[in-house]
DNA sequence: TCGCATTTGTGCGTATGTATT
DNA sequence: AAATACATACGCACAAATGCG
């Protein structure tokens, strides 16, 4: 069992306890329905006061991860994380089908931009070229699971925004441009803390961790067609290669 | 440019500023050698006091990411992150070769365990079966980049610990058991905060983020041979599929 | 060499948040 | 519930180093 020492490094003890308990849950040490150790025991384990443990449990209870019952104890409510598959032929909605009852993608906005160095390199175009930027938020059963920004070359996909707003999936949008097949050329995965905007949009607690994936899709000739920067809440999603 | 609001969610403002600036650097907004905005400008941008910004910069300076020069400004010292490739034929040392001058792997310990549910499922054996557990720490140019725990079935690899201590790479160890080829069956990627032990071993600041990879390697017959749980500091590594 | 603006370095007082007892 | 200790964050002021005309 993990024990936290009194190394305060800018992260409050109650938050480190939140993270530690969440880790026990998603790591399988505590299964759905299990009873957590008593507050006194947790206080002992984390060398913290019971007040501090209670504050941590309150946060988890607020998220619906655990629930306290007077006189009985605190129980694990939901331990599930969604698995997002990554591979040559990754399709967002297909990959998650079966893991959630309802999958929705909300269009947040679109605009014309000049490609910065990163986007230009990914799409194989000149820096400063016109690109269409699409912003979207995806949810599974009402819970946000991904905040994605996608860039496409304006030259090849001038009115992609209209077609996306029409409610079509990217697969269908690409098909409408005559691209009947495409595949994943590369995926870079990193992790960082969520910023304020992401925290709000994804419905996370401040300090939450995001899995960040930068993906380049190419058409059947190997020409890059899109560069997508997706941010997944690490507490709700994992990526499977 | 990102702006942080005064939402203290258990994570100190100076630490959120550390993350934000580090993100600007590894995200390419600030290149090696660039001068950062003045402390006053950063304070304005983050709606923070200059002292608070200075504390954040002190952390980054301590890590060698930036360096301050009195009267001149604060400059980006090193912006490099290592890329760890993941694929069918992933080999740890090969993948990182060329990105660092010196790669070392230190054996931290080994012991006989009874497989828990996760390990047993990954290796395709019965829960409770004997497994050998190996713990290792890898560094690139003196900086720790990975903390890995590997489990192997005792039945098939009874004295694997001795062979590993002998300083051999896993590829060579497998070869000594007659396995001349193996490949990656699956990789699960998640992210979380480092615990205290990981923080110390990897030389991180408290609250640092880890990329966690769970990988199963199989022999040429598709039989699982090892289950590895690797933890990479997100600030120094990214994974590339 | 001088003066001056800019930028980092340092000190101190105060208010609030965190954690324990 | 209250008292205590410590970390966090702010505000103001001034010192020290740099670069420029």
């Amino acid at each position: 069992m993990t024990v936290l020492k009194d190394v305060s490094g800018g992260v409050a003890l109650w938050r480190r306890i939140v993270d530690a308990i969440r880790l026990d849950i998603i790591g399988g040490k505590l299964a759905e329905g299990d009873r957590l150790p008593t507050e006194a025991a947790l206080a002992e384990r984390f060398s913290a006061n019971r007040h501090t443990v209670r504050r941590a449990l309150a946060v988890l209870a607020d998220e619906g991860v655990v629930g306290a019952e007077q006189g009985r104890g605190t129980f694990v409510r939901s331990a599930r994380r969604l698995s997002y598959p990554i591979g040559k032929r990754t399709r967002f909605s297909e990959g998650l089908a079966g893991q959630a009852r309802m999958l929705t993608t909300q269009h947040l906005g679109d605009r014309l931009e000049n490609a910065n160095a990163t986007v230009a390199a990914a799409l194989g175009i000149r820096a400063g070229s016109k690109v269409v930027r699409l912003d979207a938020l995806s949810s599974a059963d009402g819970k946000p699971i991904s905040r994605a920004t996608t860039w496409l070359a304006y030259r090849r996909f001038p009115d992609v925004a209209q077609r996306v707003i029409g409610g079509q999936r990217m697969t269908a949008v690409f098909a409408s441009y005559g691209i009947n097949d495409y595949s994943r050329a590369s995926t870079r995965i990193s992790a960082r803390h969520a910023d304020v905007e992401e925290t709000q949009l994804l419905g996370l607690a401040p300090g939450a961790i995001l899995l960040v994936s930068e993906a380049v899709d190419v058409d059947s000739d190997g020409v890059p067609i899109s560069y997508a920067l997706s941010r997944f809440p690490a507490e709700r999603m994992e990526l499977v290669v």
Side-chain angles (χ1 to χ4, degrees), chain A:
Chain A
M1 285 289 159
T2 326
V3 177
L4 307 178
K5 272 206 271 171
D6 53 340
V7 226
S8 144
V11 185
L13 181 53
W14 63 264
R15 167 146 290 283
R16 302 201 306 269
I17 296 176
V18 168
D19 291 334
I21 295 178
R22 207 202 311 274
L23 182 59
D24 283 349
I25 294 174
I26 63 186
K29 284 180 193 165
L30 289 169
E32 215 161 312
D34 280 4
R35 204 188 75 169
L36 276 75
T38 65
E39 291 175 358
L42 288 170
E44 164 105 5
R45 170 175 151 204
F46 295 122
S47 330
N49 193 273
R50 202 164 74 91
H51 291 304
T52 312
V53 169
R54 284 179 59 77
R55 179 161 186 185
L57 290 174
V59 172
L60 292 168
D62 193 60
E63 291 177 14
V65 176
V66 304
E69 295 177 30
Q70 174 111 223
R72 302 217 312 127
T74 307
F75 298 83
V76 179
R77 289 262 184 272
S78 79
R80 275 218 305 300
R81 257 195 313 186
L82 298 182
S83 295
Y84 179 58
I86 291 180
K88 267 260 167 270
R89 316 192 61 77
T90 297
R91 301 290 184 271
F92 185 79
S93 39
E94 292 176 20
L96 290 171
Q99 297 188 61
R101 275 182 297 279
M102 187 180 59
L103 277 171
T104 59
T105 296
Q106 180 189 352
H107 180 73
L108 297 178
D110 55 88
R111 65 163 178 259
L112 222 55
E113 286 186 348
N114 298 313
N116 66 20
T118 309
V119 171
L123 292 178
I125 58 180
R126 283 196 321 280
S129 309
K130 274 195 198 162
V131 285
V132 182
R133 169 188 166 147
L134 305 171
D135 283 290
L137 179 71
S138 295
S139 305
D141 297 330
K143 278 220 169 191
I145 52 166
S146 139
R147 164 82 181 78
T149 305
T150 308
W151 285 270
L152 305 99
Y154 174 72
R155 185 162 181 175
R156 187 163 181 191
F157 306 98
D159 54 355
V160 66
Q162 277 70 40
R163 307 194 191 184
V164 166
I165 296 173
Q168 308 206 27
R169 307 218 167 282
M170 282 312 284
T171 308
V173 171
F174 283 139
S176 74
Y177 282 105
I179 300 172
N180 291 307
D181 192 34
Y182 65 97
S183 64
R184 179 63 51 91
S186 74
T187 310
R188 310 174 81 81
I189 299 166
S190 55
R192 60 173 173 81
H193 282 119
D195 69 23
V196 177
E197 188 218 337
E198 293 159 342
T199 300
Q200 292 174 342
L201 271 172
L202 292 168
L204 299 170
I209 297 178
L210 299 181
L211 272 167
V212 180
S213 121
E214 298 168 71
V216 178
D217 280 334
V218 295
D219 63 18
S220 47
D221 296 328
V223 179
I225 53 178
S226 76
Y227 169 64
L229 180 67
S230 307
R231 285 139 285 178
F232 306 94
E235 62 199 52
R236 303 209 269 262
M237 298 281 287
E238 62 182 1
L239 310 180
V240 179
V241 181

